[in-house]
Amino acid sequence: MDTTDARNEPVVTSYAKAPASTVTAGGVRYAYRELGPKGGIPVVFFVHLTGTLDNWDPRIIDPIAKNRHVITFDQPGVGGSTGQVPNNIEAMADDAYTFIRALGFEKIDVFSFSSGGMVAQDLVIKHPNLVRKLVLTGTGPRGGKDIDKVIGTTYWDILRATLTRSDPKEFLFFNRNPTGKPAAKAFIKRLQERTENRDKPISTRAFQTQLKAIKNYGRSAPSNLSTLTQSTLIVNGDNDRMVPSALSEDLHRRIKGSELIVYPDSGHGGIFQYHTQFAPAVVDFLAP
């Protein structure tokens, strides 16, 4: 394909239609998807515990991809990526850096959710010049109070979901009340909008290793987040059972100049429940 054809190629701005690609670096073949107009600083998405390429809400990605180059990826040992899941968050951040540099980027914006936000924090601390803007949603700082209890919460909600033949994310991400239940069902339905070239689900062993990494992160000494100079947006629901909502306020205190949004009557997946308010807010925040 010549450059004229590439320039005239239609821009994909729907995550359901985003092409699947791979890149090999450090002995790992990374699976990723990209959409939106290429050029400028890309927005790289860091997914949650057990998350694969299929776990991003299109109602959040699509508005960002309207004017920005968006990239989602699978960490080693997850989904379509080869390799092994590390048992610590620091190594996951190293893998993310390897992937980003393999694509040739020297500056990115980061959108992260849950454990992806933990990986993102370690990445920014280790490579401060790589990241321009940082979005931390549903996450907390290294050594944050009760992060290490995520294993018990996760297994309990998986059991509850199994007994009701539901997706565990309905319990883990949303309040079990008249507001949260329909929001959960709508979110799970949106995740099914992509019907072709879907990703592989995470294996049980990879999931257990991720849980161990999060537990270790919660029991580690705190990182010095006062060194962060990136524009940072922190978002959560007011009743996060997985990564306690108070930890978002803790992040806000530790990261100078950060912005904090807390959505009412919502849990870990507050950004998905309030996507109609959150999507335009994050698009504005990420604007060049």
Side-chain angles (χ1 to χ4, degrees):
M1 181 183 289
D2 63 29
T3 56
T4 301
D5 290 337
R7 199 163 49 241
N8 293 331
E9 188 176 342
V11 175
V12 176
T13 57
S14 167
Y15 193 55
K17 303 297 183 181
S21 303
T22 61
V23 63
T24 300
V28 173
R29 187 183 71 247
Y30 291 86
Y32 70 100
R33 295 175 189 163
E34 56 184 336
L35 65 161
K38 294 184 179 180
I41 297 173
V43 184
V44 181
F45 279 63
F46 289 61
V47 77
H48 59 80
L49 169 73
T50 77
T52 69
L53 296 173
D54 290 331
N55 287 109
W56 285 114
D57 191 339
R59 298 303 179 274
I60 292 174
I61 284 196
D62 291 3
I64 297 174
K66 184 177 181 181
N67 295 301
R68 297 292 301 277
H69 184 190
V70 167
I71 298 169
T72 63
F73 73 105
D74 282 333
Q75 287 273 6
V78 177
S81 291
T82 62
Q84 301 294 321
V85 175
N87 63 5
N88 63 89
I89 298 295
E90 302 99 316
M92 294 180 186
D94 291 339
D95 290 333
Y97 182 75
T98 297
F99 166 73
I100 292 161
R101 294 298 295 130
L103 294 183
F105 298 117
E106 296 182 355
K107 185 73 72 175
I108 64 170
D109 287 345
V110 168
F111 184 110
S112 62
F113 174 59
S114 193
S115 60
M118 301 170 192
V119 177
Q121 289 173 60
D122 276 3
L123 176 70
V124 175
I125 289 170
K126 197 165 187 177
H127 304 282
N129 294 326
L130 177 68
V131 178
R132 182 188 70 124
K133 291 189 176 184
L134 178 63
V135 180
L136 300 170
T137 67
T139 193
R142 178 177 291 279
K145 180 176 170 55
D146 292 338
I147 286 180
D148 60 335
K149 295 181 180 179
V150 68
I151 293 179
T153 301
T154 300
Y155 279 125
W156 171 241
D157 281 356
I158 287 175
L159 174 61
R160 293 203 294 167
T162 300
L163 293 174
T164 57
R165 297 182 179 179
S166 305
D167 189 301
K169 290 186 286 294
E170 294 185 41
F171 291 82
L172 290 164
F173 289 8
F174 298 88
N175 290 339
R176 303 304 293 166
N177 62 18
T179 304
K181 288 181 178 180
K185 294 291 186 184
F187 169 67
I188 298 302
K189 186 176 181 179
R190 294 196 298 271
L191 296 185
Q192 304 303 315
E193 289 180 358
R194 184 184 183 93
T195 57
E196 298 179 357
N197 296 319
R198 289 184 63 86
D199 206 358
K200 300 176 184 177
I202 191 170
S203 69
T204 299
R205 176 176 291 183
F207 162 57
Q208 292 172 338
T209 304
Q210 286 185 338
L211 278 176
K212 181 178 180 180
I214 296 171
K215 182 178 180 180
N216 291 338
Y217 178 90
R219 293 182 176 179
S220 297
S223 299
N224 182 11
L225 298 178
S226 68
T227 63
L228 270 59
T229 59
Q230 289 77 10
S231 296
T232 303
L233 176 64
I234 301 163
V235 190
N236 207 343
D238 66 351
N239 184 39
D240 189 340
R241 295 173 54 253
M242 289 196 73
V243 186
S245 302
L247 295 179
S248 292
E249 298 173 1
D250 189 7
L251 280 175
H252 180 46
R253 286 190 297 268
R254 296 190 193 197
I255 302 175
K256 291 180 289 188
S258 60
E259 303 175 39
L260 175 65
I261 299 174
V262 178
Y263 290 113
D265 191 25
S266 60
H268 191 57
I271 61 171
F272 309 126
Q273 181 171 325
Y274 282 87
H275 64 87
T276 55
Q277 292 97 319
F278 174 65
V282 77
V283 166
D284 288 345
F285 174 78
L286 289 171

